Amino acid sequence: MDFSPLNTSGPEVDVPPALVWTHRLKQLGPRFYTSLQPTPLAAPRWAACNQGLRNELGWPSDIFDSEHLQALAGNATMRGSEPLATVYSGHQFGQWAGQLGDGRAIWLGEAASRQGPQEIQLKGAGRTPYSRGGDGRAVLRSSIREYLCSEAMHGLGIATTRALSLVDSTEPVRREEMETAAVVARVAPSFLRFGHFEHFSAQGDSDSLRALADHAIAHHLPECQARAALWQGNVYAALLDEVQERTAKLMSQWQAVGFCHGVMNTDNMSLLGLTIDYGPFQFMDSFDPGHICNHSDHQGRYAYGKQPNVAYWNLFCLAQSIAPLIDDQDMTLQVLEGYKTLFPRNLGDAMRAKLGLVGALATESEREADWTLVEDLMQLMASEKVDFTLFWRQLSQAVGQQSQALALQSSAEQALLPADWHLVTDLVLDRPRLLAWLARYTARAGTQNLAAMGQQMLRSNPKFVLRNHLAETAIRQAKAGDFTELETLHNLLKSPFDEHPGFEAYADLPPDWAGQLEISCSS
């Protein structure tokens, strides 16, 4: 393949002294990456700048000036950065895909921040040796979705990559139709994936595999040193253990908010347990465990209800990759067994929190009874195709109203009142079935502090998520040059548990046309 259009040099712009670059990944050597410059982007302009993230990281305001616009568009190189694309491999839709790599993301380096070194990537910055015939570009449509959803996940308290900026352009890009190119500057402590390890394992390159694992442990997962004591001092078993624990937590959080990733290939799984690679994702509207958000997923491999098991399958692939380092098959399998305990425990805790049942001293029998409550409710929701986000928020508000009514009673009279559950019963057709469940739930809630319970539920059940139709509205306006809706959504999604008076429509049921939206791998 001819890679002659790839850039190897570019102009530099001065970076304020507060942005100090390091390049620990480059110390691994050229087997892990290809140095190259981004491909310049025609007529770039700011579409969005994440001032909140910039402030959190302690980076200077100059990062969003006109010179840095050129740098974050890929038209110039910030002084001190050393752009590159990394190589990795992976399984895609359950099949070994061989060598992959950063096909449209170019790594600029690590910048010092208040939260430690942060890697910066430009997604959509042009072709690399790993583009596999693609143009290396991202379109405005998909870039808006990533910019918004990464902030939405952060607002929900779910581990994720973040988006620093979004740059729009007039450059045409062909997908299903002609669109325009855009670049997202995304930030994370590390962009290492399961696929990075699969690559060197598949090549039989044990030296590189060990070097990569040692790099990950030293710079990103130092907890493994202490965790190794649980595994006879085997730090590589500890690495797998740390990753499976983070992955179990991440999957429980996805399931609890109704998030569907859409493309859980091993090369889209973060070693740090971050949500990464926002493509055909979706927050479910109507609850359906079999929901497939990716219209390219013809077999339904990555349906919502299958995500936890797919994560375990991906962890098994990672385990196979680093098994030569662990050098103990029984220990490797024993580490993986932890997921089978941790995931259901994490999910149970997340769902109990959504019900306000968060007593730290809950017995195992109480946890089991609570999980039965959860399962019965989810079955009811699935049979009725109840709106997932709205139901949980309405239930939270109903409990909150009960706690307010309870506060009006005298201390001698305080007891749970017969609830007016219309906030939730109005969302279903089979009201007797729901009322019977609510009676059981009320009996369980009687052992709780109701006021605290209602507040916990409002902090666990968001009012706002990035529904497809909300993203689509922002995309359509942005294509017309209006980024107002993009900013509005960004502001709502970074604090999704707040009420945001005046913006109630963003939490309503989706319009009829939302059901016609299709998202695929090109998204």
Side-chain angles (χ1 to χ4, degrees):
M1 183 178 292
D2 179 17
F3 290 112
S4 56
L6 302 180
N7 292 313
T8 57
S9 63
E12 289 190 344
V13 297
D14 288 326
V15 171
L19 202 60
V20 178
W21 293 91
T22 57
H23 304 285
R24 295 178 296 182
L25 185 64
K26 289 202 72 173
Q27 296 170 10
L28 288 170
R31 288 172 295 181
F32 295 83
Y33 60 82
T34 299
S35 295
L36 78 168
Q37 293 292 325
T39 301
L41 186 69
R45 61 175 174 174
W46 294 119
C49 298
N50 193 340
Q51 295 286 0
L53 176 58
R54 182 191 65 76
N55 287 332
E56 289 175 37
L57 297 176
W59 288 349
S61 58
D62 308 43
I63 201 75
F64 294 140
D65 64 17
S66 58
E67 283 187 317
H68 287 82
L69 167 63
Q70 297 300 321
L72 294 177
N75 295 355
T77 303
M78 294 188 228
R79 192 178 306 278
S81 71
E82 298 180 11
L84 57 84
T86 67
V87 62
Y88 51 80
S89 297
H91 287 83
Q92 299 191 326
F93 291 92
Q95 302 298 317
W96 177 245
Q99 180 178 302
L100 302 167
D102 293 326
R104 57 175 177 170
I106 295 181
W107 186 89
L108 300 184
E110 292 176 301
S113 82
R114 289 173 181 163
Q115 298 179 7
Q118 299 290 315
E119 298 182 2
I120 304 177
Q121 278 189 349
L122 299 185
K123 184 173 180 179
R127 295 178 67 215
T128 79
Y130 317 113
S131 296
R132 297 189 295 168
D135 57 22
R137 289 301 191 193
V139 297
L140 179 61
R141 163 178 51 96
S142 62
S143 300
I144 285 175
R145 286 171 57 83
E146 172 144 0
Y147 181 84
L148 287 174
C149 198
S150 58
E151 194 66 14
M153 295 296 269
H154 179 72
L156 291 166
I158 299 174
T160 180
T161 60
R162 303 284 297 278
L164 178 66
S165 64
L166 171 59
V167 175
D168 181 30
S169 81
T170 59
E171 183 173 319
V173 176
R174 169 67 69 179
R175 293 295 183 264
E176 285 89 350
E177 59 184 16
M178 193 62 74
E179 302 187 55
T180 54
V183 173
V184 174
R186 59 184 186 178
V187 177
S190 172
F191 287 95
L192 285 177
R193 307 153 183 269
F194 290 12
H196 282 100
F197 292 84
E198 288 187 286
H199 177 74
F200 294 106
S201 176
Q203 291 193 331
D205 186 349
S206 57
D207 290 341
S208 294
L209 184 66
R210 187 178 301 274
L212 181 62
D214 290 344
H215 166 88
I217 293 167
H219 299 304
H220 303 298
L221 298 170
E223 303 93 332
C224 296
Q225 296 291 352
R227 187 181 286 265
L230 301 173
W231 302 103
Q232 303 173 25
N234 192 320
V235 72
Y236 303 114
L239 172 63
L240 180 60
D241 195 19
E242 180 69 25
V243 175
Q244 68 87 13
E245 183 173 305
R246 291 177 179 227
T247 303
K249 179 179 179 181
L250 182 67
M251 291 303 107
S252 70
Q253 292 177 313
W254 283 8
Q255 300 304 106
V257 296
F259 176 77
C260 310
H261 184 278
V263 195
M264 287 179 63
N265 297 329
T266 57
D267 57 296
N268 293 337
M269 296 291 292
S270 160
L271 194 73
L272 302 192
L274 308 175
T275 311
I276 193 171
D277 289 342
Y278 292 92
F281 68 83
Q282 183 181 8
F283 288 90
M284 277 191 297
D285 293 324
S286 300
F287 180 62
D288 176 7
H291 180 70
I292 304 166
C293 71
N294 180 3
H295 284 259
S296 302
D297 184 7
H298 304 298
Q299 303 301 315
R301 176 179 177 81
Y302 299 136
Y304 165 80
K306 295 181 179 180
Q307 291 183 144
N309 285 339
V310 169
Y312 180 78
W313 191 91
N314 290 341
L315 284 165
F316 191 87
C317 292
L318 175 64
Q320 286 183 309
S321 298
I322 64 175
L325 302 181
I326 298 174
D327 196 25
D328 186 326
Q329 183 176 357
D330 290 340
M331 182 180 291
T332 302
L333 294 174
Q334 187 180 352
V335 173
L336 285 176
E337 284 296 301
Y339 181 88
K340 297 179 181 179
T341 300
L342 282 171
F343 168 72
R345 180 79 173 196
N346 286 336
L347 181 60
D349 287 345
M351 299 308 292
R352 290 179 70 245
K354 291 175 77 68
L355 289 171
L357 306 174
V358 293
L361 300 179
T363 65
E364 285 304 313
S365 61
E366 285 176 327
R367 287 178 177 275
E368 291 177 7
D370 290 347
W371 183 247
T372 300
L373 267 179
V374 169
E375 286 187 312
D376 291 347
L377 177 60
M378 301 294 268
Q379 290 172 10
L380 187 157
M381 293 174 67
S383 66
E384 293 262 355
K385 297 293 189 290
V386 175
D387 187 271
F388 189 84
T389 302
L390 187 60
F391 180 90
W392 284 106
R393 188 69 177 188
Q394 296 284 71
L395 181 62
S396 306
Q397 291 173 332
V399 171
Q401 289 181 7
Q402 275 214 69
S403 68
Q404 293 170 11
L406 185 62
L408 298 177
Q409 294 178 287
S410 69
S411 58
E413 297 173 333
Q414 283 190 357
L416 276 177
L417 299 173
D420 183 358
W421 291 112
H422 71 89
L423 286 173
V424 286
T425 56
D426 287 351
L427 298 175
V428 303
L429 295 176
D430 191 348
R431 292 190 179 189
R433 182 180 176 186
L434 179 55
L435 286 169
W437 181 89
L438 288 167
R440 293 164 55 202
Y441 172 57
T442 300
R444 173 68 174 97
T447 64
Q448 307 290 306
N449 178 329
L450 203 59
M453 180 176 165
Q455 289 303 310
Q456 171 63 44
M457 294 177 71
L458 289 171
R459 293 192 302 269
S460 301
N461 296 306
K463 182 173 182 177
F464 302 97
V465 295
L466 185 60
R467 295 175 184 266
N468 270 353
H469 74 277
L470 297 178
E472 181 64 20
T473 299
I475 290 167
R476 291 175 183 178
Q477 293 188 14
K479 286 182 176 180
D482 181 358
F483 300 106
T484 305
E485 193 68 9
L486 174 61
E487 182 177 1
T488 296
L489 280 176
H490 189 261
N491 288 332
L492 291 175
L493 294 168
K494 67 184 181 183
S495 52
F497 301 100
D498 295 347
E499 286 297 325
H500 295 286
F503 292 90
E504 289 80 7
Y506 290 82
D508 284 347
L509 290 168
D512 290 341
W513 59 266
Q516 304 304 312
L517 294 174
E518 293 188 359
I519 50 175
S520 64
C521 288
S522 73
S523 300

